[in-house]
Coordinates of all heavy atoms in Angstrom, one line a residue:
M1 N 0.8 -1.2 0.0 CA 0.0 0.0 0.0 C 0.9 1.2 0.0 O 0.5 2.2 -0.6 CB -0.9 0.0 1.2 CG -1.8 1.2 1.3 SD -2.9 1.1 2.7 CE -3.5 2.7 2.7
W2 N 2.0 1.2 0.7 CA 2.8 2.4 0.8 C 4.0 2.4 -0.1 O 4.9 3.2 0.0 CB 3.3 2.6 2.3 CG 2.1 2.8 3.2 CD1 1.7 1.9 4.1 CD2 1.3 4.0 3.3 NE1 0.7 2.4 4.8 CE2 0.4 3.6 4.4 CE3 1.2 5.1 2.7 CZ2 -0.6 4.6 4.7 CZ3 0.3 6.0 3.1 CH2 -0.7 5.7 4.1
G3 N 3.9 1.5 -1.1 CA 5.0 1.4 -2.1 C 5.1 2.6 -3.0 O 4.3 3.5 -2.9
L4 N 6.0 2.6 -3.9 CA 6.2 3.7 -4.8 C 5.0 3.7 -5.8 O 4.5 2.7 -6.2 CB 7.5 3.5 -5.6 CG 8.7 3.6 -4.7 CD1 10.0 3.3 -5.6 CD2 8.9 5.0 -4.1
A5 N 4.7 4.9 -6.2 CA 3.6 5.0 -7.2 C 4.2 4.5 -8.6 O 5.3 4.7 -8.9 CB 3.1 6.4 -7.3
P6 N 3.3 3.9 -9.4 CA 3.7 3.5 -10.8 C 4.2 4.6 -11.6 O 3.8 5.8 -11.3 CB 2.5 2.8 -11.4 CG 1.7 2.5 -10.2 CD 1.9 3.5 -9.1
A7 N 5.1 4.4 -12.6 CA 5.6 5.4 -13.4 C 4.5 6.2 -14.1 O 3.5 5.6 -14.6 CB 6.5 4.8 -14.5
G8 N 4.5 7.5 -14.0 CA 3.5 8.4 -14.6 C 2.4 8.7 -13.7 O 1.4 9.4 -14.1
Q9 N 2.3 8.2 -12.5 CA 1.3 8.4 -11.5 C 1.8 9.1 -10.3 O 2.9 8.8 -9.9 CB 0.6 7.1 -11.1 CG -0.5 6.6 -12.0 CD -1.2 5.5 -11.3 OE1 -0.7 4.8 -10.4 NE2 -2.4 5.2 -11.8
T10 N 1.0 10.0 -9.8 CA 1.4 10.7 -8.6 C 0.6 10.1 -7.4 O -0.4 9.3 -7.7 CB 1.1 12.2 -8.6 OG1 -0.3 12.4 -8.7 CG2 1.8 12.9 -9.7
W11 N 1.0 10.4 -6.2 CA 0.2 9.8 -5.1 C -1.2 10.3 -5.1 O -2.2 9.5 -4.8 CB 0.8 10.2 -3.8 CG 2.1 9.5 -3.5 CD1 3.4 10.0 -3.6 CD2 2.2 8.1 -3.1 NE1 4.3 9.0 -3.3 CE2 3.5 7.8 -3.0 CE3 1.2 7.1 -2.8 CZ2 4.0 6.6 -2.6 CZ3 1.7 5.9 -2.5 CH2 3.1 5.6 -2.4
H12 N -1.4 11.5 -5.5 CA -2.8 12.0 -5.6 C -3.6 11.3 -6.6 O -4.8 10.9 -6.4 CB -2.8 13.5 -6.0 CG -4.1 14.1 -6.2 ND1 -5.0 14.3 -5.2 CD2 -4.8 14.6 -7.4 CE1 -6.1 14.9 -5.6 NE2 -6.0 15.0 -6.9
D13 N -3.0 11.0 -7.8 CA -3.8 10.2 -8.8 C -4.1 8.8 -8.3 O -5.2 8.3 -8.5 CB -2.9 10.0 -10.1 CG -2.7 11.3 -10.8 OD1 -3.5 12.3 -10.6 OD2 -1.7 11.4 -11.6
R14 N -3.2 8.2 -7.6 CA -3.4 6.8 -7.1 C -4.5 6.8 -6.1 O -5.4 5.9 -6.1 CB -2.1 6.4 -6.5 CG -2.1 4.9 -6.2 CD -0.7 4.5 -5.8 NE -0.7 3.1 -5.4 CZ 0.4 2.5 -4.9 NH1 1.5 3.1 -4.7 NH2 0.3 1.2 -4.6
I15 N -4.6 7.8 -5.2 CA -5.6 7.8 -4.1 C -6.9 8.2 -4.7 O -8.0 7.6 -4.4 CB -5.2 8.8 -3.0 CG1 -4.0 8.3 -2.2 CG2 -6.4 9.1 -2.1 CD1 -3.4 9.3 -1.3
M16 N -7.0 9.1 -5.7 CA -8.2 9.5 -6.3 C -8.9 8.3 -7.1 O -10.1 8.2 -7.1 CB -8.0 10.7 -7.2 CG -7.8 12.0 -6.5 SD -9.1 12.4 -5.3 CE -10.4 12.8 -6.5
K17 N -8.1 7.5 -7.7 CA -8.6 6.4 -8.5 C -9.2 5.3 -7.5 O -10.2 4.7 -7.8 CB -7.5 5.7 -9.3 CG -7.2 6.5 -10.6 CD -6.2 5.7 -11.4 CE -6.0 6.5 -12.7 NZ -5.0 5.8 -13.5
K18 N -8.7 5.2 -6.3 CA -9.2 4.2 -5.4 C -10.5 4.7 -4.6 O -11.4 3.9 -4.4 CB -8.1 3.9 -4.3 CG -7.1 3.0 -4.9 CD -6.2 2.6 -3.7 CE -5.1 1.6 -4.3 NZ -4.2 1.2 -3.3
T19 N -10.6 6.0 -4.4 CA -11.7 6.5 -3.5 C -12.7 7.2 -4.3 O -13.9 7.0 -4.1 CB -11.1 7.5 -2.4 OG1 -10.4 8.5 -3.1 CG2 -10.2 6.7 -1.5
A20 N -12.4 8.1 -5.2 CA -13.4 9.0 -5.9 C -14.0 8.3 -7.0 O -15.2 8.6 -7.3 CB -12.7 10.3 -6.4
F21 N -13.4 7.3 -7.6 CA -13.9 6.7 -8.8 C -13.9 5.1 -8.6 O -13.1 4.5 -9.2 CB -13.2 7.0 -10.1 CG -13.1 8.5 -10.3 CD1 -11.9 9.2 -10.1 CD2 -14.1 9.2 -10.6 CE1 -11.7 10.5 -10.2 CE2 -14.1 10.6 -10.8 CZ -12.8 11.3 -10.6
P22 N -14.8 4.6 -7.8 CA -14.8 3.2 -7.6 C -15.1 2.3 -8.8 O -14.6 1.1 -8.9 CB -15.9 2.9 -6.5 CG -16.7 4.1 -6.6 CD -15.9 5.2 -7.1
W23 N -15.8 2.8 -9.8 CA -16.0 2.0 -11.0 C -14.8 1.8 -11.8 O -14.7 0.8 -12.5 CB -17.1 2.7 -11.8 CG -16.7 3.9 -12.4 CD1 -16.0 4.2 -13.6 CD2 -17.0 5.2 -11.9 NE1 -15.8 5.5 -13.8 CE2 -16.4 6.2 -12.8 CE3 -17.5 5.7 -10.7 CZ2 -16.4 7.5 -12.5 CZ3 -17.6 7.1 -10.6 CH2 -17.0 8.0 -11.4
L24 N -13.8 2.6 -11.6 CA -12.5 2.4 -12.3 C -11.8 1.2 -11.8 O -11.2 0.5 -12.5 CB -11.6 3.6 -12.2 CG -12.0 4.9 -13.0 CD1 -11.0 6.0 -12.7 CD2 -12.1 4.6 -14.5
N25 N -11.9 1.0 -10.4 CA -11.3 -0.2 -9.8 C -12.0 -1.4 -10.4 O -11.4 -2.4 -10.6 CB -11.4 -0.1 -8.3 CG -10.4 0.8 -7.7 OD1 -9.4 1.1 -8.3 ND2 -10.7 1.2 -6.5
R26 N -13.3 -1.4 -10.5 CA -14.1 -2.6 -11.0 C -13.7 -2.9 -12.4 O -13.5 -4.0 -12.8 CB -15.6 -2.3 -10.9 CG -16.1 -2.6 -9.5 CD -17.6 -2.4 -9.3 NE -17.8 -1.2 -8.6 CZ -18.7 -0.3 -8.9 NH1 -19.5 -0.4 -9.9 NH2 -18.8 0.8 -8.2
E27 N -13.6 -1.9 -13.3 CA -13.2 -2.1 -14.6 C -11.7 -2.7 -14.7 O -11.5 -3.6 -15.4 CB -13.2 -0.8 -15.4 CG -14.6 -0.3 -15.7 CD -14.6 1.0 -16.5 OE1 -13.6 1.3 -17.1 OE2 -15.7 1.7 -16.5
R28 N -10.8 -2.1 -13.9 CA -9.5 -2.6 -13.9 C -9.4 -4.0 -13.4 O -8.7 -4.9 -14.0 CB -8.6 -1.7 -13.1 CG -7.1 -2.1 -13.1 CD -6.2 -1.2 -12.4 NE -6.7 -0.8 -11.1 CZ -6.7 0.4 -10.6 NH1 -6.2 1.4 -11.3 NH2 -7.1 0.6 -9.3
E29 N -10.2 -4.3 -12.4 CA -10.2 -5.7 -11.9 C -10.8 -6.7 -12.9 O -10.3 -7.8 -13.0 CB -11.0 -5.8 -10.6 CG -10.3 -5.1 -9.3 CD -11.2 -5.1 -8.1 OE1 -12.3 -5.6 -8.2 OE2 -10.7 -4.6 -7.1
R30 N -11.8 -6.2 -13.6 CA -12.4 -7.1 -14.6 C -11.4 -7.3 -15.8 O -11.3 -8.5 -16.2 CB -13.6 -6.4 -15.2 CG -14.4 -7.3 -16.0 CD -15.8 -6.7 -16.5 NE -16.6 -6.2 -15.4 CZ -17.0 -4.9 -15.3 NH1 -16.6 -4.0 -16.3 NH2 -17.7 -4.5 -14.3
E31 N -10.7 -6.3 -16.1 CA -9.7 -6.5 -17.2 C -8.5 -7.4 -16.7 O -8.1 -8.2 -17.5 CB -9.1 -5.1 -17.6 CG -10.0 -4.2 -18.3 CD -9.5 -2.8 -18.6 OE1 -8.3 -2.5 -18.1 OE2 -10.2 -2.0 -19.2
E32 N -8.1 -7.3 -15.5 CA -7.1 -8.1 -14.9 C -7.6 -9.6 -14.9 O -6.8 -10.5 -15.1 CB -6.6 -7.7 -13.5 CG -5.9 -6.4 -13.6 CD -5.6 -5.8 -12.2 OE1 -6.1 -6.5 -11.2 OE2 -4.9 -4.9 -12.0
D33 N -8.8 -9.8 -14.5 CA -9.4 -11.2 -14.4 C -9.5 -11.7 -15.8 O -9.2 -12.9 -16.1 CB -10.8 -11.1 -13.8 CG -10.8 -10.9 -12.3 OD1 -9.7 -11.1 -11.8 OD2 -11.9 -10.6 -11.8
D34 N -9.9 -10.9 -16.8 CA -9.9 -11.4 -18.2 C -8.5 -11.8 -18.7 O -8.4 -12.8 -19.4 CB -10.5 -10.3 -19.2 CG -12.0 -10.1 -18.9 OD1 -12.6 -11.0 -18.2 OD2 -12.5 -9.1 -19.4
A35 N -7.5 -11.0 -18.4 CA -6.2 -11.2 -18.8 C -5.6 -12.5 -18.1 O -5.0 -13.3 -18.8 CB -5.3 -10.1 -18.5
R36 N -6.0 -12.7 -16.8 CA -5.5 -13.9 -16.1 C -6.2 -15.1 -16.7 O -5.6 -16.2 -16.9 CB -5.9 -13.7 -14.6 CG -5.3 -14.8 -13.7 CD -5.6 -14.5 -12.3 NE -5.3 -13.2 -11.8 CZ -6.2 -12.3 -11.4 NH1 -7.4 -12.6 -11.4 NH2 -5.7 -11.1 -11.0
F37 N -7.5 -15.0 -17.0 CA -8.2 -16.2 -17.6 C -7.6 -16.5 -19.0 O -7.4 -17.7 -19.3 CB -9.7 -15.8 -17.8 CG -10.5 -16.9 -18.4 CD1 -10.8 -18.0 -17.8 CD2 -10.9 -16.8 -19.8 CE1 -11.6 -19.1 -18.3 CE2 -11.6 -17.8 -20.4 CZ -11.9 -18.9 -19.7
T38 N -7.3 -15.5 -19.8 CA -6.7 -15.8 -21.1 C -5.3 -16.5 -21.0 O -5.0 -17.4 -21.7 CB -6.6 -14.5 -21.9 OG1 -7.8 -13.9 -22.0 CG2 -6.0 -14.7 -23.3
T39 N -4.5 -16.0 -20.0 CA -3.2 -16.6 -19.8 C -3.3 -18.0 -19.3 O -2.6 -18.9 -19.8 CB -2.4 -15.8 -18.8 OG1 -2.4 -14.4 -19.2 CG2 -1.1 -16.3 -18.5
S40 N -4.3 -18.3 -18.4 CA -4.5 -19.7 -17.9 C -5.0 -20.6 -19.1 O -4.6 -21.7 -19.1 CB -5.5 -19.7 -16.8 OG -5.1 -18.9 -15.7
L41 N -5.9 -20.1 -19.9 CA -6.3 -20.9 -21.0 C -5.2 -21.2 -22.0 O -5.1 -22.3 -22.5 CB -7.5 -20.1 -21.7 CG -8.3 -20.9 -22.7 CD1 -9.0 -22.1 -22.1 CD2 -9.3 -20.0 -23.4
A42 N -4.3 -20.2 -22.3 CA -3.2 -20.5 -23.2 C -2.3 -21.5 -22.6 O -1.8 -22.3 -23.3 CB -2.5 -19.2 -23.5
A43 N -2.0 -21.4 -21.3 CA -1.1 -22.4 -20.6 C -1.7 -23.7 -20.6 O -1.0 -24.7 -20.9 CB -0.9 -21.9 -19.2
M44 N -3.0 -23.9 -20.5 CA -3.7 -25.2 -20.5 C -3.6 -25.8 -21.9 O -3.3 -27.0 -22.1 CB -5.1 -25.1 -20.1 CG -5.8 -26.5 -19.9 SD -7.4 -26.4 -19.2 CE -8.4 -25.8 -20.6
A45 N -3.8 -25.0 -22.9 CA -3.7 -25.4 -24.3 C -2.3 -25.9 -24.6 O -2.1 -26.9 -25.3 CB -4.2 -24.3 -25.3
A46 N -1.3 -25.1 -24.2 CA 0.1 -25.5 -24.5 C 0.5 -26.8 -23.8 O 1.1 -27.6 -24.4 CB 1.0 -24.4 -24.0
T47 N 0.0 -27.0 -22.6 CA 0.2 -28.2 -21.8 C -0.4 -29.4 -22.5 O 0.2 -30.5 -22.6 CB -0.3 -28.1 -20.4 OG1 0.3 -27.0 -19.7 CG2 -0.1 -29.4 -19.6
L48 N -1.7 -29.2 -23.0 CA -2.4 -30.3 -23.7 C -1.6 -30.6 -25.0 O -1.4 -31.8 -25.3 CB -3.8 -29.9 -24.0 CG -4.7 -30.9 -24.7 CD1 -4.8 -32.1 -23.7 CD2 -6.0 -30.3 -25.0
F49 N -1.2 -29.6 -25.7 CA -0.4 -29.9 -26.9 C 0.8 -30.6 -26.7 O 1.1 -31.6 -27.4 CB -0.2 -28.5 -27.6 CG 0.7 -28.6 -28.8 CD1 0.2 -29.1 -30.0 CD2 2.1 -28.3 -28.8 CE1 1.0 -29.2 -31.2 CE2 2.9 -28.4 -29.9 CZ 2.3 -28.9 -31.1
L50 N 1.6 -30.2 -25.7 CA 2.8 -30.9 -25.3 C 2.6 -32.3 -24.9 O 3.4 -33.2 -25.2 CB 3.6 -30.2 -24.3 CG 4.3 -28.9 -24.7 CD1 4.8 -28.1 -23.5 CD2 5.3 -29.1 -25.8
G51 N 1.5 -32.6 -24.2 CA 1.1 -33.9 -23.8 C 0.8 -34.8 -25.0 O 1.3 -36.0 -25.1
V52 N 0.1 -34.3 -25.9 CA -0.3 -35.1 -27.2 C 1.0 -35.4 -28.0 O 1.2 -36.5 -28.4 CB -1.3 -34.4 -28.0 CG1 -1.5 -35.0 -29.4 CG2 -2.7 -34.3 -27.3
V53 N 1.8 -34.4 -28.1 CA 3.1 -34.6 -28.9 C 4.0 -35.6 -28.2 O 4.6 -36.5 -28.8 CB 3.8 -33.2 -29.1 CG1 5.2 -33.5 -29.6 CG2 3.1 -32.4 -30.0
G54 N 4.0 -35.5 -26.8 CA 4.8 -36.5 -26.0 C 4.3 -37.9 -26.2 O 5.1 -38.9 -26.4
L55 N 3.0 -38.2 -26.2 CA 2.4 -39.5 -26.5 C 2.7 -40.0 -27.8 O 3.0 -41.2 -28.0 CB 0.9 -39.5 -26.2 CG 0.5 -39.3 -24.8 CD1 -1.0 -39.2 -24.7 CD2 1.0 -40.5 -24.0
Y56 N 2.7 -39.1 -28.8 CA 3.0 -39.5 -30.2 C 4.5 -39.9 -30.3 O 4.8 -41.0 -31.0 CB 2.7 -38.3 -31.2 CG 3.1 -38.6 -32.6 CD1 2.3 -39.4 -33.4 CD2 4.2 -38.0 -33.2 CE1 2.6 -39.7 -34.7 CE2 4.5 -38.3 -34.5 CZ 3.7 -39.1 -35.3 OH 4.0 -39.4 -36.6
V57 N 5.4 -39.2 -29.7 CA 6.8 -39.5 -29.7 C 7.0 -40.9 -29.0 O 7.8 -41.7 -29.5 CB 7.6 -38.4 -29.1 CG1 9.1 -38.8 -28.8 CG2 7.6 -37.1 -30.0
L58 N 6.4 -41.1 -27.8 CA 6.5 -42.3 -27.1 C 6.1 -43.5 -27.9 O 6.7 -44.6 -27.9 CB 5.8 -42.3 -25.8 CG 6.5 -41.4 -24.7 CD1 5.6 -41.4 -23.5 CD2 7.8 -42.0 -24.3
Q59 N 5.0 -43.3 -28.7 CA 4.4 -44.4 -29.5 C 5.5 -44.8 -30.6 O 5.7 -46.0 -30.9 CB 3.1 -44.1 -30.1 CG 2.5 -45.1 -30.9 CD 1.2 -44.7 -31.6 OE1 0.8 -43.6 -31.5 NE2 0.5 -45.6 -32.2
G60 N 6.0 -43.8 -31.2 CA 7.1 -44.0 -32.2 C 8.3 -44.7 -31.7 O 8.8 -45.6 -32.3
L61 N 8.7 -44.3 -30.5 CA 9.9 -44.9 -29.9 C 9.6 -46.4 -29.5 O 10.5 -47.2 -29.7 CB 10.3 -44.1 -28.6 CG 10.9 -42.8 -28.9 CD1 11.1 -42.0 -27.5 CD2 12.3 -42.9 -29.6
A62 N 8.4 -46.7 -29.1 CA 8.0 -48.0 -28.7 C 8.1 -48.9 -30.0 O 8.6 -50.1 -29.9 CB 6.7 -48.1 -28.1
E63 N 7.5 -48.4 -31.1 CA 7.5 -49.2 -32.3 C 9.0 -49.4 -32.8 O 9.3 -50.5 -33.3 CB 6.7 -48.5 -33.4 CG 5.2 -48.5 -33.2 CD 4.4 -47.8 -34.2 OE1 5.0 -47.4 -35.3 OE2 3.3 -47.6 -34.0
T64 N 9.8 -48.4 -32.8 CA 11.2 -48.5 -33.2 C 11.9 -49.5 -32.3 O 12.7 -50.3 -32.8 CB 11.9 -47.1 -33.1 OG1 11.2 -46.2 -33.9 CG2 13.3 -47.2 -33.6
S65 N 11.6 -49.5 -31.0 CA 12.3 -50.4 -30.0 C 11.9 -51.9 -30.4 O 12.8 -52.8 -30.4 CB 11.9 -50.1 -28.6 OG 12.4 -51.0 -27.7
K66 N 10.6 -52.1 -30.7 CA 10.2 -53.4 -31.1 C 10.9 -53.9 -32.3 O 11.3 -55.1 -32.4 CB 8.7 -53.5 -31.2 CG 7.9 -53.4 -29.9 CD 6.5 -53.4 -30.2 CE 5.7 -53.1 -28.9 NZ 4.2 -53.0 -29.1
L67 N 11.0 -53.0 -33.3 CA 11.7 -53.4 -34.6 C 13.2 -53.7 -34.3 O 13.7 -54.7 -34.9 CB 11.5 -52.3 -35.6 CG 12.2 -52.5 -36.9 CD1 11.6 -53.6 -37.7 CD2 12.1 -51.2 -37.8
E68 N 13.8 -52.9 -33.5 CA 15.2 -53.2 -33.2 C 15.4 -54.4 -32.5 O 16.4 -55.2 -32.8 CB 15.8 -52.0 -32.4 CG 16.0 -50.7 -33.2 CD 16.6 -49.6 -32.4 OE1 16.6 -49.7 -31.1 OE2 16.9 -48.5 -32.9
D69 N 14.5 -54.8 -31.5 CA 14.6 -56.0 -30.8 C 14.5 -57.2 -31.8 O 15.2 -58.2 -31.7 CB 13.5 -56.1 -29.8 CG 13.8 -55.2 -28.6 OD1 14.9 -54.7 -28.4 OD2 12.8 -55.0 -27.8
C70 N 13.6 -57.1 -32.7 CA 13.4 -58.1 -33.7 C 14.6 -58.3 -34.6 O 15.1 -59.5 -34.8 CB 12.2 -57.9 -34.6 SG 11.9 -59.1 -35.9
L71 N 15.2 -57.2 -35.0 CA 16.4 -57.3 -35.9 C 17.6 -57.8 -35.1 O 18.5 -58.5 -35.6 CB 16.7 -55.9 -36.5 CG 15.7 -55.4 -37.5 CD1 16.0 -53.9 -37.9 CD2 15.7 -56.3 -38.7
M72 N 17.7 -57.5 -33.8 CA 18.8 -57.9 -33.0 C 18.8 -59.4 -32.8 O 19.8 -60.1 -32.5 CB 18.8 -57.2 -31.6 CG 19.2 -55.7 -31.7 SD 20.8 -55.4 -32.2 CE 21.6 -55.7 -30.6
Q73 N 17.6 -60.1 -32.9 CA 17.5 -61.5 -32.8 C 17.9 -62.2 -34.0 O 17.9 -63.4 -34.1 CB 16.1 -61.9 -32.4 CG 15.7 -61.4 -31.0 CD 14.2 -61.7 -30.6 OE1 13.5 -62.3 -31.4 NE2 13.8 -61.4 -29.4
G74 N 18.2 -61.4 -35.1 CA 18.6 -62.0 -36.3 C 17.5 -62.4 -37.3 O 17.7 -63.1 -38.3
R75 N 16.4 -62.0 -37.1 CA 15.2 -62.3 -37.9 C 15.3 -61.4 -39.2 O 15.8 -60.2 -39.1 CB 13.9 -62.0 -37.2 CG 13.7 -62.9 -36.1 CD 12.4 -62.7 -35.4 NE 12.2 -63.4 -34.2 CZ 11.3 -63.3 -33.3 NH1 10.3 -62.3 -33.5 NH2 11.2 -64.1 -32.3
A76 N 14.9 -61.9 -40.3 CA 14.9 -61.2 -41.5 C 13.7 -60.4 -41.8 O 13.7 -59.4 -42.5 CB 15.2 -62.2 -42.7
N77 N 12.6 -60.9 -41.4 CA 11.3 -60.2 -41.8 C 10.6 -59.7 -40.5 O 9.9 -60.4 -39.8 CB 10.3 -61.2 -42.5 CG 9.1 -60.5 -43.0 OD1 9.0 -59.3 -43.0 ND2 8.2 -61.3 -43.5
C78 N 10.9 -58.5 -40.1 CA 10.3 -57.9 -38.9 C 9.2 -57.0 -39.0 O 8.8 -56.3 -38.1 CB 11.5 -57.2 -38.1 SG 12.8 -58.3 -37.6
E79 N 8.7 -56.9 -40.3 CA 7.6 -55.9 -40.5 C 6.3 -56.5 -39.8 O 6.1 -57.7 -39.8 CB 7.3 -55.7 -42.0 CG 8.4 -55.0 -42.7 CD 8.6 -53.6 -42.3 OE1 7.5 -52.9 -42.0 OE2 9.7 -53.1 -42.1
R80 N 5.5 -55.6 -39.4 CA 4.3 -56.0 -38.7 C 3.3 -56.4 -39.8 O 3.1 -55.8 -40.8 CB 3.7 -54.8 -38.0 CG 2.5 -55.1 -37.2 CD 2.1 -53.9 -36.4 NE 0.9 -54.2 -35.6 CZ 0.5 -53.6 -34.6 NH1 1.2 -52.6 -34.2 NH2 -0.5 -54.0 -33.9
I81 N 2.6 -57.5 -39.5 CA 1.7 -58.1 -40.4 C 0.3 -57.7 -39.9 O -0.1 -58.0 -38.8 CB 1.8 -59.7 -40.4 CG1 3.2 -60.0 -40.9 CG2 0.7 -60.3 -41.4 CD1 3.5 -61.5 -40.8
E82 N -0.5 -57.1 -40.8 CA -1.8 -56.6 -40.5 C -2.8 -57.8 -40.9 O -2.7 -58.3 -42.1 CB -2.2 -55.4 -41.3 CG -1.3 -54.2 -40.9 CD -1.6 -53.7 -39.4 OE1 -2.8 -53.8 -39.0 OE2 -0.7 -53.2 -38.8
T83 N -3.6 -58.2 -40.1 CA -4.6 -59.2 -40.3 C -6.1 -58.6 -40.2 O -6.3 -57.9 -39.2 CB -4.5 -60.4 -39.5 OG1 -4.6 -60.0 -38.1 CG2 -3.2 -61.1 -39.6
P84 N -7.0 -58.9 -41.1 CA -8.4 -58.4 -40.9 C -9.0 -59.2 -39.8 O -8.8 -60.4 -39.5 CB -9.0 -58.8 -42.3 CG -8.2 -59.8 -42.9 CD -6.8 -59.7 -42.3
N85 N -9.8 -58.5 -39.0 CA -10.6 -59.0 -37.9 C -11.9 -59.6 -38.2 O -12.8 -59.6 -37.4 CB -10.7 -58.0 -36.8 CG -9.3 -57.7 -36.1 OD1 -8.4 -58.5 -36.2 ND2 -9.2 -56.5 -35.6
E86 N -12.2 -59.9 -39.5 CA -13.5 -60.5 -39.9 C -13.6 -61.9 -39.5 O -12.7 -62.7 -39.7 CB -13.6 -60.3 -41.4 CG -13.6 -58.9 -41.9 CD -13.7 -58.7 -43.4 OE1 -14.2 -59.7 -44.0 OE2 -13.3 -57.7 -43.9
R87 N -14.8 -62.3 -39.0 CA -15.0 -63.6 -38.6 C -16.2 -64.2 -39.3 O -17.1 -63.7 -39.6 CB -15.2 -63.8 -37.1 CG -14.0 -63.4 -36.3 CD -14.2 -63.6 -34.9 NE -13.0 -63.2 -34.2 CZ -12.8 -63.4 -32.9 NH1 -13.7 -64.0 -32.2 NH2 -11.6 -63.1 -32.3

């Protein structure tokens, strides 16, 4: 509360905004809430994106590992054989 006034503001300006014009505080708080929500939403989207990319990379590494294991055993045909599931 007793910290330095932001650049371009005097103590008088700071006190008048808090006491004489309460709707300015509400507008500023609403803008700060909107900015915080947008930031949180962007962080959640980035986390979800990184999680999906991580799963894709892990799946590729698992397939490569299986192929390498097959080749290390000396087998000649290590390709996966797709079979139809029709009965």
Side-chain angles (χ1 to χ4, degrees):
M1 178 175 169
W2 298 107
L4 296 173
Q9 273 190 342
T10 64
W11 286 105
H12 177 69
D13 293 339
R14 191 171 178 187
I15 291 171
M16 288 303 291
K17 283 185 181 178
K18 286 185 177 180
T19 58
F21 306 108
W23 66 86
L24 289 177
N25 283 338
R26 281 184 250 136
E27 287 180 20
R28 183 174 50 224
E29 287 174 3
R30 191 175 308 122
E31 289 173 0
E32 289 173 356
D33 287 345
D34 290 345
R36 191 176 306 117
F37 177 75
T38 303
T39 303
S40 297
L41 191 61
M44 188 174 76
T47 303
L48 183 63
F49 175 75
L50 289 175
V52 169
V53 168
L55 288 175
Y56 178 75
V57 169
L58 284 176
Q59 182 181 8
L61 289 173
E63 288 178 12
T64 303
S65 175
K66 289 177 186 176
L67 179 63
E68 286 178 353
D69 289 344
C70 178
L71 292 172
M72 292 291 284
Q73 292 177 2
R75 296 181 184 169
N77 187 9
C78 294
E79 291 297 318
R80 186 175 183 159
I81 299 172
E82 297 291 330
T83 58
N85 289 337
E86 297 178 21
R87 291 182 182 193

